[in-house]
Amino acid sequence: MAGELWFYHLERSSVDEVLPELVEKTLSRGWRALIRSPEEDRLKSLDQLLWTWRDDSFTPHALAGEGDDTRQPVLLSSGANNPNKAECCFLLDRAESGGFADFERTIVLFDGHDESAVVAARGLWKRASGEGASVSYWRQSEAGRWEKKA
């Protein structure tokens, strides 16, 4: 059976504003995280962001290939594998999903102002639903809180 797939429709916040907090929540569950993007520049930017996003926070992580990937609590990668045995996978920039069953939860963050990103997310929703994944859709309220809409 496939894992959960959560879609976060970003309209009021950017990936840089949302991702660090979601990663922190993932780690607090005792899970490892894999962050996938096909864009190397995005991964390098996130590498810096995760070190500095909040003064009172430390997010242990590494870029794939810059150490022992298997030991990383959070791994940033453009690859389709899961070398750190992550329970949660974050998909950015239309990254390939791979197998949904490989993760307890896959979180798709997509820009609601980018029509091609919205279309890609809809296609992934349809495919995941067809494969038996439990899918949910999250949208940010006017007050900035995330609300489950489907």
Side-chain angles (χ1 to χ4, degrees):
M1 167 133 277
E4 296 178 324
L5 200 64
W6 289 11
F7 290 80
Y8 279 76
H9 191 159
L10 304 178
E11 293 178 299
R12 292 177 175 77
S13 301
S14 69
V15 167
D16 288 357
E17 293 167 319
V18 172
L19 181 66
E21 190 170 332
L22 291 175
V23 169
E24 192 171 79
K25 287 179 181 181
T26 298
L27 294 175
S28 73
R29 291 183 70 114
W31 287 358
R32 290 177 175 234
L34 177 64
I35 301 171
R36 285 186 184 154
S37 173
E39 299 177 12
E40 292 296 327
D41 288 342
R42 162 81 85 181
L43 295 172
K44 289 176 185 174
S45 172
L46 289 172
D47 178 39
Q48 291 302 309
L49 175 67
L50 290 174
W51 291 124
T52 61
W53 78 280
R54 208 170 64 202
D55 289 340
D56 65 343
S57 178
F58 172 72
T59 305
H61 70 280
L63 287 164
E66 291 192 350
D68 185 354
D69 291 353
T70 63
R71 297 186 55 177
Q72 300 305 321
V74 178
L75 186 65
L76 295 98
S77 175
S78 60
N81 58 352
N82 184 9
N84 68 334
K85 305 289 188 254
E87 290 87 359
C88 186
C89 180
F90 293 89
L91 299 178
L92 312 175
D93 311 311
R94 295 179 211 88
E96 288 299 317
S97 59
F100 304 121
D102 295 343
F103 303 97
E104 295 288 326
R105 182 171 299 146
T106 299
I107 297 176
V108 180
L109 299 171
F110 65 99
D111 182 352
H113 302 290
D114 177 346
E115 187 58 31
S116 65
V118 172
V119 168
R122 284 183 187 138
L124 183 56
W125 174 286
K126 185 175 181 179
R127 185 179 122 223
S129 297
E131 291 179 15
S134 170
V135 294
S136 17
Y137 172 76
W138 298 79
R139 194 169 203 168
Q140 215 168 15
S141 71
E142 293 285 334
R145 283 179 279 143
W146 288 100
E147 298 174 345
K148 187 175 180 179
K149 297 292 187 178

